[in-house]
Amino acid sequence: MMNRARIFLIGVMMLFILSGCNTDSTSETEVGVKKMLVPLYSYPSLNDSWERLIALKQKTNNLEIVAIVNQSNGDFTQPSTSYINGIDALHKAGIQVVGYIYTDYTQRPVVEVKQNIDAWTEFYKTYGLEGFFFDEASRNEEDFAYYQEITQYAESKGLQFNILNPGTSVDPIYMEGDIASVVLIRETTYEKVVYKTNLNQPTEHTKKAIVLYSSDEENIAQKVCAYALEHDFDYVYATDHGTTDDRWAELSSYVDELAVLISKGCRD
């Protein structure tokens, strides 16, 4: 049996070790590691955006990137060799890939959305597709069941990483109902977003994203990062391209700078 002095010494040593572990854990949490959510809406061989994103991932390996790929707004019945090769290349580079599907704020019949899910799954799951980006999502409580049904259907296909895009704050049930991995609650310009209030809070299962367009202010990458960090966004992206539908046709001109900042937790 050990004497009291030895027991006391061992106790102090264990406390020191545990304290060190907690300190490391806390500092890691404080870093607030961010991720990049990129609307990669260009055709795979149309420009160099896909290759640039892969190179960016290889150069900034600790950065988590989610790419939203968009074949015919998600409404197609045949696979594309270009998309097969592109999705496969993104996946092999360590980039998460989700497929675009629009919901027209619940005006699209659920059966049509499920058909889109089936097509994406049949043609691209084996090449690395991990889920879906459901665009034009409602923010209203009464529409929650619609999105619950389509996300559960996606999960039944083995595609677990699903994103809703209302582009604005939502009823809390969307964050608390555990139906999506991410909700994109800010899609606007930096000029407008800095005045936005009523931000949802992330939950254990559902994180929030911000995607900005037509944002080219001085030091914009640093400003976007600072805003995202202040308001607990986990997924971030911004581009200087304009307000038309082609704003996602090419990567942001400052995407490399933004990626480096995000990879450092947006703290530099």
Side-chain angles (χ1 to χ4, degrees), residues 105-121:
Y105 307 98
T106 73
Q107 294 308 297
R108 286 194 78 196
V110 167
V111 64
E112 288 186 12
V113 176
K114 288 182 176 180
Q115 288 170 350
N116 292 166
I117 291 172
D118 288 341
W120 276 111
T121 303

Side-chain angles (χ1 to χ4, degrees), residues 87-101:
I87 290 170
D88 187 50
L90 292 171
H91 174 68
K92 287 178 178 176
I95 296 172
Q96 287 185 272
V97 183
V98 295
Y100 179 99
I101 297 176

Side-chain angles (χ1 to χ4, degrees), residues 145-162:
Y146 177 99
Y147 294 98
Q148 183 178 43
E149 182 173 355
I150 62 175
T151 54
Q152 286 181 347
Y153 185 75
E155 290 174 359
S156 75
K157 300 291 183 177
L159 296 166
Q160 306 290 327
F161 193 84
N162 296 299

Side-chain angles (χ1 to χ4, degrees), residues 127-142:
Y127 298 100
L129 186 77
E130 296 186 37
F132 300 98
F133 179 81
F134 294 107
D135 198 15
E136 299 177 352
S138 172
R139 64 188 296 267
N140 301 320
E141 180 182 9
E142 59 266 27

Side-chain angles (χ1 to χ4, degrees), residues 22-35 62-64 225-226 228-230 232-234 236 259-268:
N22 290 337
T23 299
D24 290 342
S25 175
T26 301
S27 62
E28 187 174 316
T29 302
E30 287 176 353
V31 169
V33 175
K34 305 296 177 185
K35 307 169 182 67
N62 64 323
L63 173 68
E64 294 185 42
C225 249
L229 184 62
E230 178 183 0
D232 299 318
F233 284 96
D234 291 273
V236 186
V260 171
L261 290 170
I262 294 172
S263 72
K264 296 178 180 179
C266 280
R267 292 191 176 275
D268 280 1

Side-chain angles (χ1 to χ4, degrees), residues 204-217:
E204 181 182 357
H205 300 289
T206 303
K207 306 308 178 184
K208 63 182 186 179
I210 178 171
V211 172
L212 303 179
Y213 55 85
S214 193
S215 299
D216 57 359
E217 289 84 347

